[in-house]
Amino acid sequence: MLTISTNKAPAAVGPYSQAIVSHGMVYTSGQIAIDPETNTVKGKTITEQTEQIMKNLAAVLEEANSGFHMAVKTTCFLADMNDFAAFNEIYGKYFTSLPARSCVAVKSLPKGVLAEVEVLAEVCDYSY
């Protein structure tokens, strides 16, 4: 296994990694709308927060030698299912390969954010 860490995404704030590569796959931890430079929530709307989530995921996937186009499965958590359409609009700009997905509403998310997304993706060069 290889632990993935990049300063282009928020640092882990607990006993976990930004991502792990194992057997040719990268497993990301859930990303929320934290700006890695300020360590604060970026955006107040679901659209703004989802854009930041995608920036964070892009950085973690890139560090793992992967990308959105290599995603196999995503799990999405929304604080309010009424945000589903707006969330999908941004999500769809990034996950154009249409990976499998689960999307659920949850009671609350860390730091009061509106969404969290985790990704399971293939890596380009499995030489770890």
Side-chain angles (χ1 to χ4, degrees), residues 3-12 17-19 31 34-40 52 55-64:
T3 300
I4 300 299
S5 180
T6 176
N7 61 5
K8 295 178 183 175
S17 304
Q18 288 173 326
Q31 288 292 317
I34 298 292
D35 181 329
E37 292 182 15
T38 64
N39 202 34
T40 60
Q52 184 61 48
K55 288 178 186 176
N56 295 343
L57 284 170
V60 173
L61 290 169
E62 180 181 344
E63 187 69 21

Side-chain angles (χ1 to χ4, degrees), residues 83-98:
D83 287 336
F84 188 75
F87 172 82
N88 270 341
E89 187 174 324
I90 303 305
Y91 176 97
K93 290 186 342 186
Y94 293 88
F95 290 102
T96 58
S97 62
L98 306 177

Side-chain angles (χ1 to χ4, degrees), residues 33-120:
I34 298 292
D35 181 329
E37 292 182 15
T38 64
N39 202 34
T40 60
V41 175
K42 185 165 185 184
K44 296 195 181 298
T45 68
I46 190 66
T47 300
E48 294 168 329
Q49 288 192 14
T50 304
E51 285 286 358
Q52 184 61 48
I53 290 167
M54 295 304 150
K55 288 178 186 176
N56 295 343
L57 284 170
V60 173
L61 290 169
E62 180 181 344
E63 187 69 21
N65 204 17
S66 187
F68 292 112
H69 66 289
M70 299 183 76
V72 174
K73 170 83 165 65
T74 65
T75 305
C76 308
F77 306 93
L78 301 178
D80 185 345
M81 208 41 97
N82 289 319
D83 287 336
F84 188 75
F87 172 82
N88 270 341
E89 187 174 324
I90 303 305
Y91 176 97
K93 290 186 342 186
Y94 293 88
F95 290 102
T96 58
S97 62
L98 306 177
R101 179 178 93 170
S102 298
C103 187
V104 297
V106 295
K107 185 174 179 179
S108 63
L109 290 163
K111 298 189 180 265
V113 296
L114 303 174
E116 181 172 347
V117 179
E118 61 184 41
V119 179
L120 170 60

